[in-house]
């Protein structure tokens, strides 16, 4: 039947072009089958993804996030950082939240996620969502919404969050530590860390502006104070000496767990971080590295200006980050509890 039809096709190609279309490949000497263009992530994810299945989703996340910030504004830093750490490791798939098991060390137990905070607060949001629409909203989407709402909630920019990410069933500490940037990196190394994800040097600098909120443990500051470029007892020469003394007091040698503010206005998303960097007051080697060359110095100098496009560029970069290789369609699952696979 099919072959009779394609013979007919060959004979009457001019008259029956429409019928033959589907059988073109049978007789055309050089079949030209253009590859389907890859579907852009923006065409899969959508702001309205839950408009039928859970119309309250975005409002519920926002309410719980703002309630949490009312009790502790500083936690905005936790929310923003978790989204970054989720997306940077095999895409925004909620893998950061999974707990380790007897035979698997999960991402959150990697070096780069040392004492990461906010996972219990994501559980609170998930619980509230499970009450209104069970088994519907992914943990990866919750992370994306919470990061946006927390940032906007402490004075930062807002941005559209495209939804429809699904949750992974895999999480490995090694993947976190091979993908996430260490605070001891220099400019070149930071650029090399961001490039494979599709982010240029300027976007790297803009996103580092997140260090305008939240806190750090001494763990990440150590190499800046006591072990610059791996040399014992060497302080980063780029670090302001007075600020170095202050940091050394807060972080005695070997102490990993004391807490230090990220900038002078830890609970406000503003340009103060870049101001600190320009004044050589950066808590990490990677912060001071932003002005290590003339390119970085000029970008930071530009961004620090009150009239600069920092907020707009930050928002754009966050949308881009949130679109990093999500699981969609039937991939992954919608977790019932964010710390455990179903
Ligand atoms: C450029 C390379 C980056 C490095 C080396 C880096 C490193 C770090 C380190 C070591 C901490 C301290 C964590 C702790 O001790 O609890 C931290 C905190 C933080 N990071 Fe980054 N980070 C980078 C980029 C980013 C990006 C792109 C974002 C978000 C888009 C981000 C958001 C944050 C936030 C909000 C905090 C505060 C966390 C809190 O308050 O709990 N960072 N970062
Ligand atoms: C996650 O795993 C750790 C052990 O690795 C355990 O102490 C902790 O209670 C677990 N968290 C939850 C929510 O079960
Ligand atoms: C950055 O670090 C790399 C080692 O990873 C080193 O080769 C390079 O010289 C450093 N760059 C600068 C400007 O110090
Ligand atoms: C400093 O860095 C080197 C090389 O990375 C490491 O072997 C050494 O243990 C570090 N020292 C301290 C005090 O962290
Ligand atoms: C770090 O210092 C604080 C107080 O300054 C102390 O309570 C804590 O035990 C120290 N931790 C380590 C690992 O030295």
């Amino acid at each position: 039947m099919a072959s009779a039809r394609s013979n007919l096709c060959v004979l009457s190609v001019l008259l029956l072009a429409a019928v033959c279309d589907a059988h073109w490949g049978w007789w055309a000497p050089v079949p030209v089958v253009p590859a389907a263009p890859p579907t852009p992530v923006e065409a899969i994810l959508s702001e309205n993804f839950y408009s039928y299945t859970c119309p309250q989703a975005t409002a519920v996340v926002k309410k719980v996030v703002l309630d949490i910030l009312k009790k502790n504004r500083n936690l905005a830093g936790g929310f923003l950082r978790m989204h970054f750490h989720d997306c940077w490791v095999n895409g925004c798939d909620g893998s950061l939240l999974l707990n380790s098991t007897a035979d698997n060390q999960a991402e959150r137990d990697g070096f780069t996620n040392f004492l990461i905070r906010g996972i219990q607060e994501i559980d609170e949001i998930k619980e509230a969502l499970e009450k209104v629409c069970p088994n519907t909203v992914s943990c990866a989407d919750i992370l994306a919404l919470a990061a946006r709402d927390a940032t906007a909630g402490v004075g930062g920019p807002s941005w559209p969050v495209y939804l429809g990410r699904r949750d992974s069933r895999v999480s490995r500490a090694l993947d976190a530590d091979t993908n996430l940037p260490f605070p001891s990196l220099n400019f070149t190394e930071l650029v090399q860390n961001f490039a494979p994800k599709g982010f240029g040097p300027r976007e790297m600098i803009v996103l580092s502006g997140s260090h305008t909120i939240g806190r750090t443990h001494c763990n990440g500051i150590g190499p800046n104070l006591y072990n610059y470029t791996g040399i014992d007892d060497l302080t980063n020469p780029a670090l302001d000496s007075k600020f170095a003394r202050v940091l050394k007091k807060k972080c005695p040698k070997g102490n990993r767990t004391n807490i230090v503010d990220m900038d002078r206005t830890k609970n406000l998303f503003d340009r103060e971080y870049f101001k600190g960097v320009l004044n050589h007051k950066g808590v990490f080697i990677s912060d001071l590295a932003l002005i290590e060359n003339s390119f970085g110095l000029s970008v930071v100098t530009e961004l620090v200006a009150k009239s600069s496009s920092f907020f707009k560029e930050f928002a754009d970069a966050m949308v881009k980050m949130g679109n990093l290789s999500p699981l969609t369609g039937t991939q992954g699952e919608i977790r019932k509890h964010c710390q455990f696979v179903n």
Side-chain angles (χ1 to χ4, degrees):
M1 181 69 185
S3 104
R5 189 161 162 202
S6 54
N7 285 339
L8 181 72
C9 257
V10 175
L11 294 170
S12 50
V13 61
L14 291 172
L15 292 169
L16 295 166
V19 175
C20 296
D21 238 87
H23 297 270
W24 191 259
W26 281 81
W27 62 274
V30 185
V32 181
V33 183
T39 314
V41 168
E42 291 84 346
I44 302 170
L45 303 181
S46 126
E47 269 190 291
N48 303 319
F49 186 82
Y50 296 111
S51 55
Y52 295 109
T53 54
C54 190
Q56 318 93 308
T58 54
V60 169
V61 175
K62 187 171 176 181
K63 183 186 183 306
V64 181
V65 167
L66 294 182
D67 283 350
I68 290 168
L69 293 188
K70 233 177 258 165
K71 282 179 248 159
N72 180 3
R73 265 172 82 84
N74 200 244
L75 262 171
F79 286 123
L80 179 55
R81 184 167 191 239
M82 279 192 292
H83 184 39
F84 169 49
H85 280 213
D86 185 36
C87 294
W88 226 240
V89 183
N90 305 321
C92 315
D93 61 358
S95 54
L96 170 72
L97 303 169
L98 285 175
N99 208 1
S100 291
T101 58
D103 52 11
N104 180 59
Q105 201 183 356
E107 286 174 26
R108 63 195 255 191
D109 289 326
F111 297 110
T112 42
N113 284 316
F114 181 67
L115 296 180
I116 195 153
R117 61 174 175 163
I119 291 177
Q120 286 76 19
E121 284 74 12
I122 295 294
D123 282 350
E124 279 180 43
I125 301 171
K126 178 66 169 170
E127 258 170 55
L129 282 169
E130 288 300 294
K131 274 187 198 139
V132 289
C133 14
N135 307 314
T136 305
V137 182
S138 70
C139 299
D141 278 347
I142 295 174
L143 281 176
L145 288 167
R148 188 266 311 269
D149 294 338
T151 302
V154 294
S158 190
W159 55 86
V161 173
Y162 301 101
L163 300 163
R165 301 167 190 80
R166 290 168 64 84
D167 297 325
S168 78
R169 298 175 50 84
V170 180
S171 175
R172 296 187 199 289
L174 186 64
D175 288 347
D177 291 337
T178 48
N179 282 280
L180 290 166
F182 280 80
S184 54
L185 299 190
N186 64 31
F187 191 91
T188 313
E189 295 168 316
L190 288 169
V191 169
Q192 283 168 354
N193 177 273
F194 277 64
K197 318 288 183 196
F199 291 78
R202 187 180 174 99
E203 288 170 309
M204 182 275 287
I205 295 171
V206 166
L207 284 176
S208 294
S210 328
H211 289 175
T212 176
I213 54 170
R215 65 179 208 190
T216 171
H217 297 86
C218 291
N219 189 45
I221 303 178
N224 203 9
L225 298 177
Y226 303 114
N227 205 359
Y228 184 64
T229 63
I231 297 169
D232 232 11
D233 277 328
L234 182 60
T235 303
N236 184 353
L239 184 61
D240 173 83
S241 56
K242 210 166 134 203
F243 190 59
R245 280 198 295 279
V246 172
L247 286 180
K248 283 177 180 175
K249 217 174 209 161
K250 290 179 181 165
C251 297
K253 196 173 178 181
N255 192 303
R256 304 177 64 204
T257 51
N258 282 355
I259 286 168
V260 174
D261 300 339
M262 292 299 268
D263 75 354
R264 280 163 30 139
T265 53
K266 59 180 177 174
N267 292 336
L268 200 60
F269 192 104
D270 57 10
R271 294 172 172 74
E272 203 58 40
Y273 163 79
F274 289 126
K275 231 179 261 176
V277 168
L278 278 183
N279 289 323
H280 297 269
K281 293 172 182 169
V283 292
F284 305 135
I285 292 172
S286 59
D287 295 327
L288 294 165
L290 299 184
I291 56 163
E292 139 192 334
N293 57 42
S294 57
F295 172 80
L297 180 60
S298 73
V299 173
V300 174
T301 305
E302 185 194 325
L303 293 175
V304 87
K306 212 170 173 178
S307 59
S308 85
S309 49
F310 171 47
F311 276 30
K312 165 84 174 88
E313 289 185 55
F314 186 83
D316 290 347
M318 287 304 294
V319 172
K320 185 169 163 181
M321 194 182 92
N323 287 345
L324 283 172
S325 39
L327 300 176
T328 57
T330 56
Q331 298 171 316
E333 63 185 18
I334 303 298
R335 266 180 233 147
K336 186 80 187 158
H337 188 301
C338 290
Q339 295 194 44
F340 307 100
V341 296
N342 292 343

